[in-house]
Amino acid sequence: MTKAGQHTYSEISTQTSAWAETLDRARVAGPIWAELWQSGNYDELLFTGCGSTYYLSQVAAAVAQSRGFAARAVPGSELWLRPRLVLQRPARTLLVTISRSGETSETVRATDAYRAAGGKALAAITCYPESVLARKADVALALPQAQEMSVAQTRSFACMLVGAQYLLAVMADDYAGCERMTALPALGQGVLANSEALAARLGSDLTLERFFFLGSGICHGLAQEAMLKMKEMSLSHSEAFHVLEFRHGPMSLVDERALVTCLVDDGAGDHEMMVVGEMKRLGGRVLAMTGNGAGAAGARLDAEIAVGSQLSLAERVVLYLPPLQLLAYYRAVAKGLDPDRPRHLTAAVVLP
Ligand code: F1P
């Protein structure tokens, strides 16, 4: 009989070794992906997935946009059931599917709708090399080392994100960025070591009843993923917003029982830290996740996690993830739940 959360904790705390193997695999796959993009005369990247991997698609699309690609993210169900709404120029769109299992029906059926509409080639990022999606794809980044026992995605999500970040750098001919990203496993291990005590303290604080994750641009998809982890693992009220959007109504829910976590984008840091300060004045508990520190603006924070490093946000965004995964894990355990087996959920949604 395993201890509650044993797999989840192990997969979170040891994930950076799988990041390293991911980089090795992406280094091999990168030129193949770049060749497909360049030879196919595409003018847009379309990312798709479901649940966590839809949110990962959002991060990947924002990273792609930051690198000059036209890019979007849609849920698999939208592409499957509304291809005419989603696809304006199918033959000029390269579809990138992201799926831990490679078996999720909505994502698989989205590829059929894409092909039927005239889509030419299919790319896949998955943890299962023999999965339906991997077999359908023209190019695939398969990451078997990221497979996990727990239902809620942690190590798998981070590895698929590291892979997507690296592949996009190769496709953008940013070889200096590729080289800088080889530091991610060591940086990630440092973030885990430096943030676990704080994540455990906040996660175990049952006076907190509501969790708000704020993130914009490249960070928005990660705020969504943090929201989902908190729901899946700890059955808690959690919501995700673009940072400044939070003022436009949802902040009415802020009080001393709310933790507002802001994934700060250094490029808009002053405006985003202003929101954090306002939420503190409303009585909320505030946690800022920053690149190299909030500086004076952080004076009124309850907590801060600075992931550090000289990497750009497009290179380092995955570093924000481990503390958020630990936060959800510790809250689940504090509530006497087993994050390895989230209520109602299965590892993949396969439809009849
Ligand atoms: C997608 C997914 C997960 C979710 C749950 C059910 O799986 O929706 O995001 O957390 O595990 O499946 P996949 O397509 O990434 O395998």
Side-chain angles (χ1 to χ4, degrees):
M1 177 71 175
T2 57
K3 183 163 94 38
Q6 176 181 324
H7 294 307
T8 301
Y9 183 77
S10 166
E11 288 153 357
I12 293 172
S13 53
T14 65
Q15 66 183 294
T16 56
S17 56
W19 297 11
E21 183 171 340
T22 297
L23 289 166
D24 292 340
R25 289 173 176 269
R27 193 172 295 114
V28 172
I32 301 163
W33 284 58
E35 167 58 25
L36 175 67
W37 170 258
Q38 283 145 18
S39 64
N41 193 26
Y42 298 106
D43 54 28
E44 182 185 44
L45 285 164
L46 180 62
F47 295 87
T48 196
C50 296
S52 285
T53 39
Y54 167 51
Y55 302 139
L56 206 169
S57 295
Q58 289 182 316
V59 182
V63 167
Q65 289 164 352
S66 76
R67 291 186 171 282
F69 295 95
R72 283 182 295 147
V74 293
S77 55
E78 283 298 288
L79 177 50
W80 165 34
L81 297 175
R82 297 169 184 84
R84 292 173 57 83
L85 256 61
V86 171
L87 291 167
Q88 280 74 40
R89 295 151 59 97
R92 303 292 298 274
T93 300
L94 176 57
L95 179 64
V96 182
T97 57
I98 305 179
S99 174
R100 170 180 64 180
S101 63
E103 302 292 343
T104 298
S105 300
E106 291 148 70
T107 309
V108 173
R109 294 175 189 180
T111 66
D112 298 333
Y114 165 74
R115 296 267 200 209
K120 292 187 305 192
L122 173 64
I125 299 175
T126 181
C127 299
Y128 289 83
E130 300 309 316
S131 62
V132 169
L133 271 183
R135 284 186 277 110
K136 275 174 167 280
D138 298 280
V139 292
L141 176 65
L143 305 171
Q145 81 285 1
Q147 293 174 10
E148 50 210 344
M149 299 291 286
S150 56
V151 170
Q153 298 191 13
T154 53
R155 171 171 68 194
S156 62
F157 185 102
C159 284
M160 291 188 285
L161 177 52
V162 166
Q165 289 176 218
Y166 191 93
L167 289 172
L168 287 166
V170 174
M171 291 164 70
D173 294 326
D174 180 7
Y175 295 103
C178 290
E179 186 54 35
R180 284 191 296 269
M181 281 189 272
T182 58
L184 282 173
L187 290 168
Q189 201 54 43
V191 170
L192 275 165
N194 297 335
S195 65
E196 177 157 8
L198 175 59
R201 176 166 64 81
L202 290 173
S204 306
D205 183 345
L206 295 182
T207 64
L208 290 169
E209 294 174 6
R210 288 183 293 283
F211 295 83
F212 301 104
F213 298 96
L214 310 184
S216 297
I218 288 174
C219 293
H220 184 64
L222 229 50
Q224 297 266 40
E225 171 61 6
M227 169 276 292
L228 184 61
K229 287 292 93 57
M230 191 55 81
K231 282 189 168 79
E232 288 180 333
M233 290 193 202
S234 77
L235 305 183
S236 299
H237 174 161
S238 64
E239 298 181 67
F241 298 94
H242 289 87
V243 182
L244 276 63
E245 270 295 295
F246 193 53
R247 286 195 184 104
H248 299 275
M251 70 175 183
S252 55
L253 287 174
V254 171
D255 60 25
E256 69 286 349
R257 289 163 297 173
L259 176 66
V260 180
T261 299
C262 185
L263 285 64
V264 179
D265 173 355
D266 299 346
D270 292 351
H271 300 291
E272 297 183 340
M273 287 303 294
M274 195 181 293
V275 172
V276 174
E278 290 166 22
M279 298 314 121
K280 178 69 181 169
R281 285 192 291 278
L282 292 177
R285 311 269 286 282
V286 293
L287 163 63
M289 302 191 69
T290 62
N292 292 303
R300 295 176 47 79
L301 293 172
D302 291 289
E304 178 181 2
I305 296 172
V307 299
S309 95
Q310 300 312 312
L311 277 64
S312 70
L313 193 56
E315 296 160 355
R316 72 156 188 266
V317 65
V318 68
L319 295 175
Y320 282 161
L321 197 55
L324 299 168
Q325 295 169 340
L326 285 173
L327 180 68
Y329 164 79
Y330 278 107
R331 181 161 176 91
V333 171
K335 291 179 68 176
L337 300 169
D338 180 0
D340 288 352
R341 283 179 283 277
R343 186 169 67 173
H344 303 333
L345 299 186
T346 56
V349 176
V350 179
L351 303 174

